[in-house]
Structures are given as C-alpha cells and as structure tokens.
Amino acid sequence: MVDLRFSSALQIMLSVANAAQLGVDIVSSAQLAVGLNSNPSFVRKLLVPLSQAGLLSSIKGKFGGVTLGKAPAQITLADIYVAINPTRKLFASRDDIPHRCFVTANMDRIFEDVSTRSQAAVLGVLAELTLERYLREYAVRS
C-alpha cells in the first residue's frame, strides 16, 4: 500500500507557504482539506506532527488554523518527511523466513544495511530541497 502522508504533508506545507506569500495569515484545516480533496480530520492528523516539529504554528478556536513556523527557505522536505514519518523505514524485510543457509540466516542484516543506506540517500536528497525552491520554481510556471 502506498503511503500518501508525505505527499499530503508537502502539499499542506506548500499551501500554507503560498497563502502566506499572498498575505493570508491563517489557513484552516477545512481550507487545506479542499485542496487535498480530503476531509479536515485527515488534515488535522497531519498538522499535529508538523506543528510538533515547529514547521507550523497552530492557532486554536473557531477562527483558528495554521501558519508557517519557519521561513520557507528554512524548511526542507527532509524536515517534513521526518515529522510525518519519524520512525518509519522506506523498506521492511520479512521476518518469517527460516534460517536454512547463509543467505536466509543473514538476510535481515543485509536488508537492514540496504534499508539504512537507502533511507540516508533519500533524506540527503530531501534535505537539499526547500519549500522556497518549489514556491519560486512553480509560481513562475503557473
């Protein structure tokens, strides 16, 4: 199953950053849900870890919503990914394989190495990408 939380969180962050550039101070979960074609409850579940990570500031109440917690240039896609998936690995190995030879006996260690290296590579790429970059790049194309 494909996990859509990161792409949804990225869209939320870009939407809030774009709104700020347009002079909109606070964006509600209902407004963000419309853009995601989702429900406000799903959006609020994503807003919690983004706020806890300091990427968003939350304003409670009837007229509440979120604002950016940092400047778009200071928010990397790695920040967003880690906030949404703090312990989730890109890959998971099977743990139900009997150890019958050196391959099956070591597969968990081999795969752990592959997983760790892959995760580091992905986070390295995401750390180079900021919200500001995409706001600038795609605002020009629109």
Side-chain angles (χ1 to χ4, degrees), residues 64-78:
V66 292
T67 61
L68 286 181
K70 299 178 182 180
Q74 296 176 320
I75 299 173
T76 69
L77 274 59

Side-chain angles (χ1 to χ4, degrees), residues 123-142:
L123 289 175
V125 169
L126 293 177
E128 296 173 3
L129 306 171
T130 65
L131 287 183
E132 180 182 57
R133 173 193 174 164
Y134 289 109
L135 289 173
R136 243 184 311 122
E137 187 175 329
Y138 287 93
V140 172
R141 293 182 186 182
S142 298

Side-chain angles (χ1 to χ4, degrees), residues 3-66:
D3 185 351
L4 299 175
R5 290 178 303 153
F6 174 63
S7 63
S8 298
L10 176 57
Q11 182 174 337
I12 287 169
M13 294 298 298
L14 285 166
S15 296
V16 174
N18 184 54
Q21 285 185 337
L22 297 173
V24 177
D25 293 330
I26 299 171
V27 182
S28 72
S29 57
Q31 291 168 315
L32 293 166
V34 169
L36 283 169
N37 195 29
S38 183
N39 62 57
S41 175
F42 172 70
V43 170
R44 284 190 294 274
K45 287 179 185 175
L46 293 175
L47 295 178
V48 170
L50 294 169
S51 296
Q52 289 172 339
L55 304 177
L56 292 174
S57 294
S58 180
I59 296 109
K60 297 184 191 254
K62 183 176 179 180
F63 300 106
V66 292

